[in-house]
Amino acid sequence: MEVRSIVLGPDEPYELRLTGRGARGYVWTWQVTGDADAVTVAEAPEAPAAAGAAPLPGAPVERTYVVRARPPGGGRARIRFAQVRPPYPDEAPYDEFVLDVEVAAVTGGT
């Protein structure tokens, strides 16, 4: 399991790319803990494939997730991504990734 720490300013996005195994029934899920309302997480739309560059059946496909710090800022959140097969909820995740996010507070000033 990889753990990465980042610092974001209010409304600043961060793109995270994770290798998917959808052809094998695995999907990435995520859970936000800590200051859960300090960030949002969403899967980015898939980029259109280049002409003639369709992935081979069963090949891993990269998924992109956008983590965005929510204004006004301030807080720490931990996002745990887990690659699971939904039909088998008791099965251990195939892979996990943890993203620790510090959201910098807006400072006063002119």
Side-chain angles (χ1 to χ4, degrees):
M1 171 176 44
E2 182 180 345
V3 178
R4 187 179 302 167
S5 297
I6 61 170
V7 177
L8 298 176
D11 207 33
E12 182 179 357
Y14 176 79
E15 283 192 1
L16 174 66
R17 290 178 177 81
L18 298 172
T19 301
R21 290 173 180 78
R24 295 186 183 135
Y26 288 93
V27 297
W28 283 102
T29 61
W30 62 85
Q31 180 179 15
V32 182
T33 57
D35 297 323
D37 56 349
V39 297
T40 60
V41 181
E43 185 170 0
E46 281 189 53
L56 296 173
V61 177
E62 194 172 77
R63 298 285 181 213
T64 302
Y65 298 88
V66 178
V67 176
R68 183 176 297 274
R70 297 179 67 185
R76 293 180 181 268
R78 172 169 271 204
I79 307 165
R80 178 184 170 266
F81 290 87
Q83 197 172 43
V84 298
R85 293 192 301 175
Y88 306 99
D90 296 329
E91 187 176 80
Y94 179 83
D95 197 4
E96 293 180 283
F97 184 92
V98 173
L99 186 65
D100 287 325
V101 182
E102 179 182 344
V103 180
V106 174
T107 57
T110 55

